[in-house]
Amino acid sequence: MSRNAEALATIRARAGDAPVALGLILGSGLGHLAHAVDGVAIPYADLPGFPHVSVSGHNPHLHIGMLQGVRVAVFGAREHFYENGNAAAMRPALEVLKDLGAGSLLLTNAAGSMRPDIPPGDLMLLSDHINYNGRNPLIGEPTDGRFVPMADAHDPALRAALRASAKAEGIDLKEGVYAWYSGPSFETPAEIRMLKLLGADAVGMSTVPEVILARFLGLKVAAISTITNMAAGLSDEQISHDHTKAMAPLGATKLERILRHYLNTLR
Ligand code: HPA
């Protein structure tokens, strides 16, 4: 049995055969959202091909079950490029998500803002991204499928639906461009000035490879950043991973409300 087939069999044995509608990957400090799912939590360690997550504040379980009456697959954690230098680390997990029947993927992350009108505690819906890291998770993919078009990679209809849900919940959901910076060190103030010049509104260490993989697999995708800090040099606050983990819950409450509202519209 292939690695993915083994993971799929384990998931179906524990969570049942019903297809999932949507996948959700949770970013730093957002892992608790997974516990809102009424279903089962499967440790990544039981699922061949799923990442070995080494980042504190992340919850390495796949939660499958109902949220607002919709069957979802929630990834409590991701493997980042900076952990092992593997941009395709999430590929097997996303392939399994596709095999579970999901049509779309919602990504979340913690990010630093370069826009004064998107301060810490705010959310930013990604309108687009810049692969500033330059690595691509499809390097080595032998099929022509690797030539993935990336215009409208952040699905316009899904984004519109998320904006509508935010509006209905009275939440100010800004939109902007996310730049992927490798990490794990944070950026320098000079790098942030450069990223701003290049057209980025926020910076973070994830999400972009997953957007590319999701588009490759034919999943619709949208991503929301919880802004945990102003990017380096833009404020006096000290940036750290502890700060990220402490600040992420500020946005998490709003994110959960948007998500629940959106899921309600799918029923
Ligand atoms: N830079 C990169 N990643 C981040 C940041 C940041 O300022 N904040 C949270 N994740």
Side-chain angles (χ1 to χ4, degrees):
M1 208 193 280
S2 76
R3 192 175 61 176
N4 284 5
E6 227 176 284
L8 208 55
T10 301
I11 292 168
R12 290 195 167 131
R14 297 195 202 172
D17 286 340
V20 307
L22 172 127
L24 175 67
I25 298 186
L26 301 177
S28 292
L30 304 172
H32 81 279
L33 254 179
H35 302 296
V37 176
D38 183 12
V40 300
I42 306 171
Y44 284 180
D46 295 354
L47 300 171
F50 275 55
H52 304 285
V53 177
S54 64
V55 190
S56 66
H58 293 247
N59 154 34
H61 289 78
L62 177 66
H63 298 249
I64 300 212
M66 304 304 282
L67 192 57
Q68 300 298 125
V70 179
R71 192 161 154 92
V72 295
V74 179
F75 298 79
R78 57 161 56 90
E79 181 175 327
H80 302 76
F81 173 76
Y82 63 71
E83 290 175 74
N84 296 293
N86 178 12
M90 293 300 289
R91 180 167 174 169
L94 292 180
E95 286 171 343
V96 167
L97 174 68
K98 173 85 180 174
D99 289 343
L100 287 169
S104 52
L105 173 66
L106 205 54
L107 302 167
T108 65
N109 60 54
S113 172
M114 286 167 249
R115 289 244 310 259
D117 64 321
I118 315 183
D122 267 19
L123 302 176
M124 188 187 91
L125 177 63
L126 276 62
S127 57
D128 202 347
H129 70 238
I130 296 173
N131 181 356
Y132 188 73
N133 181 312
R135 306 300 177 101
N136 195 297
L138 297 177
I139 289 174
E141 164 61 33
T143 68
D144 277 358
R146 64 188 157 187
F147 301 113
V148 179
M150 292 297 288
D152 284 340
H154 296 261
D155 191 74
L158 187 49
R159 278 161 49 211
L162 291 167
R163 281 196 307 268
S165 288
K167 193 168 179 204
E169 288 290 319
I171 295 166
D172 185 23
L173 181 61
K174 301 268 180 19
E175 269 193 297
V177 174
Y178 173 96
W180 178 31
Y181 186 88
S182 125
S185 57
F186 284 99
E187 305 74 32
T188 65
E191 287 164 342
I192 292 302
R193 287 195 296 275
M194 172 197 68
L195 290 174
K196 236 178 124 168
L197 276 174
L198 294 180
D201 299 300
V203 60
M205 304 178 192
S206 69
T207 301
V208 168
E210 294 146 24
V211 173
I212 296 168
L213 287 166
R215 292 309 301 138
F216 171 69
L217 295 170
L219 294 164
K220 286 184 183 162
V221 64
I224 297 181
S225 293
T226 59
I227 301 299
T228 54
N229 55 280
M230 294 311 290
L234 299 181
S235 90
D236 293 335
E237 72 194 330
Q238 197 60 38
I239 301 173
S240 70
H241 186 55
D242 281 342
H243 184 267
T244 298
K245 285 188 289 183
M247 292 299 285
L250 281 183
T253 319
K254 289 187 267 190
L255 194 61
E256 182 168 345
R257 280 167 52 207
I258 294 173
L259 184 68
R260 285 183 184 278
H261 187 281
Y262 170 66
L263 290 174
N264 271 335
T265 67
L266 298 184
R267 286 198 290 175

